[in-house]
Each structure stands twice: as C-alpha cells, then as structure tokens.
Amino acid sequence: MSDEFENPVYYDDDADVSVIQEQTVAVLGYGSQGHAHALNLHESGVEVIVGLREDSSSRSAAEAEGLRVETPKQAASEADLVSVLVPDTVQPAVYAEIEPELDPGDTLQFAHGFNIHYGQIEPNEDVNVTMVAPKSPGHLVRRNYENDEGTPGLLAVYQDASGDAHDIGLSYAKAIGCARAGVVETTFREETETDLFGEQVVLCGGVTSLVKQGYETLVDAGYSREMAYFECLNELKLIVDLMYEGGLSEMWDSVSDTAEYGGLTRGDRVVDEHARENMEQILEEVQDGTFARQWITENQAGRPSYKQLRNAEKNHDIEAVGEDLRALFAWGENEERDEKEKTKTSADD
C-alpha cells in the first residue's frame, strides 16, 4: 500500500485474489463494464454467472465467450457477490428483483455510488455494500487486462456486514486487473459527488460547451467552418493527450512559446471567477441532491428534456463539419473500428 497520497492506494501485492476465487460472482449486465468484469474475473479463476434478462441481445455474446448466463434473479440467488453493472437508471428496479435472493453476509457491489448515495437503493443491514470502479471505459479495462496491463480503479466500502468487505472488494479489484495499476480507496459520497461534478463542469459539459462556443465565435467572425473545427475541436485531443501523459507541465513544455504565453495570459479571461462561481453552484446541486432529483424525475417523465437536448447537440453545425472532415483521414477508419468495439455490447443490459 502506498502512503504517498491523501487516500490509500493498493496494488497487486496488497490483494489476495484467492478471496474472490472462493466466491461465486454474479455480474448483472453485459455492457461496457459488465463484459469486461465478467471476462476478466473468469480468466482470473473466478466462478462467474452473468445475469441478463431472458430477452437480452447480449446473451449470445456472453455465452459465446464461455460464460454461464442466467436471469438476474437466478444469478443473484447462487452468488456470494453480486456486481450490479447495469445503468444507474435501471438499478433500483433490478435491485427490487434480486433483493430477496441476497443472503446475510453476501456482497452487493457497484461501479458507481449514485443510487446508494442518493437513497434510491437501501440494502439490508446484513449484506456488504462495496464499490469497485475502474477509471476507464470497459473496453479498455478488458484490453489492458489482456495485455497484462492495469487500469486504475477505486475501492469503497459503504457497509461491512461480514467484517471482510474491504478484503473482498480489493480481491475483486485485483481479479479484474485494477490492482496492477493502483486501487485508490474512497467513499461512496466522494466518488459520486466528484464524478458527477467532473462530468458536468469539465469532462462532458464544460469541454463541449467551450468547444462549441469557440467554434461559433470563429464562424460568426467569418472564418471557415473547417478551420474553426480544426482549431477548436480536432486539436483538443493533442492537448489532452499531453496532459494525460504528464500533467499540465508536460502540455506547456510541448506547445510553442507563443501558445503557452497566449494560454497563460488569456485562459483565465475565458474561464474566469464567474465560471468558478457557476462551478460552485453546480457542486452544491450535486451535494444537496438537486441534480439527482432532477435526473430521477426526468427519467420518470420519459426523458423529454434529455431527448430534446441530445437531438439539438447532434444537429449542431460542428457535427456535420466534423463528419465530413474526419472522412478525409485514415485514422477515421481506425476510430470507427474502435467505436464498434466499444459498442459491441449494449449498455442497457
């Protein structure tokens, strides 16, 4: 275990894979994370049962990989650990189905804390409630495992009924390959709130808004749509890759002095104190449950706002320009192939 960080970090030597090998694991769902967890566990010597609806389109894919497939209820009834890897919006209904099958001392595990943290699922006190959350899409969790590499992950224990929930979760993390890279200990609250905040303010909401507004500013000023696309969207990957590899310093060291000076002197004028105030407001909405209640209500109503916003995003001018430009490059074929790999198993299972 490393003590260099604020939160404990565990590695392969800290985990005993035999703990999870002695248990039967039900993986509910065979989407992005589900297929990766199930296959990695299986190849780590764990008895795995995949829990899918009888009409699930993923049944044949799981069976073709040599995995046993049962209904979620049947899988949970036989398992010592139930890993719930269906979408957040589906989890409460799935939990209602499997709850009678959970025995005292069983482990109920998640890869995201939303439903536990916001009270949409309230497990019995006699079961463990844990989280093992790889910090990567499932196709990379699988690919890294096959390449004898690791994917960083998170570990949290919400409820320890058996007294060894932490060891079970850490063993599971090792079996899917996360302990090769490092498993950071956290809490359900910290993981949920930071995850939602990061998605909304930076990773998904903030970045896409910044890209679109930069694009629109150039186009409205009379510059070509193609140049606006290249400068505000296409080159973003180059910058993000540099930051991913070596942090902000690596990025600044790699771009031109002109780009560095321009960024250092102008960046805070775009994302200024007003933006920071908005970020703090969004964080409050995450912390007090405002966003969670809004999202839950949106789903109960059939997602009208979500569908409208998603449609508007797809029809933005930058999408049409990007589709045409990406077709000019050889890497477009590679990205299309990767996208097919990522979506070969549906997330709605």
Side-chain angles (χ1 to χ4, degrees):
M1 181 180 73
S2 173
D3 56 3
E4 298 177 8
F5 304 98
E6 189 171 346
N7 290 12
V9 181
Y10 303 94
Y11 298 95
D12 268 347
D13 289 344
D14 302 307
D16 182 359
V17 74
S18 69
V19 173
I20 199 68
Q21 288 173 336
E22 294 171 358
Q23 301 199 358
T24 298
V25 175
V27 174
L28 306 188
Y30 203 70
S32 176
Q33 290 292 336
H35 90 282
H37 288 226
L39 291 171
N40 291 4
L41 287 166
H42 176 68
E43 292 177 16
S44 291
V46 180
E47 182 179 356
V48 176
I49 307 172
V50 177
L52 295 172
R53 304 184 313 271
E54 292 185 348
D55 62 348
S56 171
S57 60
S58 296
R59 276 183 163 260
S60 58
E63 291 171 341
E65 295 283 2
L67 298 171
R68 178 184 167 199
V69 181
E70 302 287 351
T71 64
K73 186 179 181 70
Q74 180 61 34
S77 71
E78 298 185 41
D80 304 296
L81 184 150
V82 180
S83 188
V84 184
L85 298 177
V86 296
D88 291 336
T89 52
V90 179
Q91 287 181 11
V94 172
Y95 175 73
E97 180 182 352
I98 68 169
E99 188 275 333
E101 310 304 324
L102 298 176
D103 297 324
D106 282 354
T107 300
L108 183 66
Q109 185 162 280
F110 299 86
H112 181 38
F114 185 97
N115 284 301
I116 293 294
H117 181 56
Y118 292 116
Q120 297 304 294
I121 293 176
E122 297 181 349
N124 293 332
E125 295 181 357
D126 60 3
V127 299
N128 298 326
V129 181
T130 61
M131 180 199 310
V132 173
K135 298 305 293 178
S136 170
H139 73 283
L140 290 180
V141 175
R142 179 61 181 154
R143 183 186 301 171
N144 288 343
Y145 180 91
E146 291 179 302
N147 292 336
D148 294 324
E149 298 172 351
T151 302
L154 304 178
L155 169 66
V157 177
Y158 179 81
Q159 196 165 276
D160 186 2
S162 66
D164 59 353
H166 188 277
D167 291 342
I168 294 171
L170 188 56
S171 182
Y172 182 105
K174 180 173 183 175
I176 64 171
C178 288
R180 297 174 182 174
V183 179
V184 181
E185 187 163 3
T186 184
T187 65
F188 272 66
R189 173 182 177 273
E190 184 176 53
E191 184 277 335
T192 302
E193 294 179 0
T194 57
D195 185 74
L196 294 175
F197 175 82
E199 291 169 349
Q200 295 169 23
V201 169
V202 180
L203 305 177
C204 302
V207 166
T208 54
S209 182
L210 190 65
V211 166
K212 287 185 296 183
Q213 293 194 46
Y215 172 88
E216 291 165 2
T217 299
L218 287 177
V219 172
D220 290 347
Y223 298 99
S224 71
R225 297 156 72 229
E226 293 78 14
M227 287 302 298
Y229 179 88
F230 278 125
E231 297 301 331
C232 295
L233 190 153
N234 184 72
E235 293 194 23
L236 183 63
K237 174 174 167 42
L238 306 177
I239 301 302
V240 171
D241 283 349
L242 290 170
M243 291 192 291
Y244 179 84
E245 293 168 5
L248 299 180
S249 296
E250 176 78 8
M251 184 273 291
W252 290 128
D253 288 342
S254 300
V255 300
S256 69
D257 291 347
T258 304
E260 182 177 10
Y261 177 75
L264 290 172
T265 58
R266 267 65 176 175
D268 287 345
R269 289 171 57 183
V270 178
V271 185
D272 56 11
E273 283 303 311
H274 179 63
R276 175 66 176 269
E277 292 171 4
N278 289 336
M279 290 181 183
E280 292 172 351
Q281 180 61 45
I282 290 172
L283 179 57
E284 287 183 15
E285 293 173 1
V286 168
Q287 292 172 327
D288 66 16
T290 298
F291 170 77
R293 289 190 294 272
Q294 181 181 348
W295 178 226
I296 292 166
T297 301
E298 177 75 11
N299 279 279
Q300 292 172 342
R303 300 188 174 188
S305 297
Y306 172 82
K307 293 175 182 177
Q308 182 179 10
L309 292 168
R310 198 170 193 226
N311 188 57
E313 191 81 350
K314 287 183 177 181
N315 291 322
H316 192 283
D317 184 60
I318 199 172
E319 290 293 87
V321 176
E323 184 175 359
D324 292 338
L325 287 175
R326 290 191 296 271
L328 300 176
F329 298 93
W331 49 257
E333 297 178 1
N334 295 332
E335 288 200 345
E336 181 179 355
R337 183 165 59 249
D338 287 345
E339 186 62 27
K340 288 181 179 178
E341 179 183 349
K342 285 187 284 185
T343 58
K344 66 181 178 180
T345 50
S346 172
D348 66 2
D349 288 321

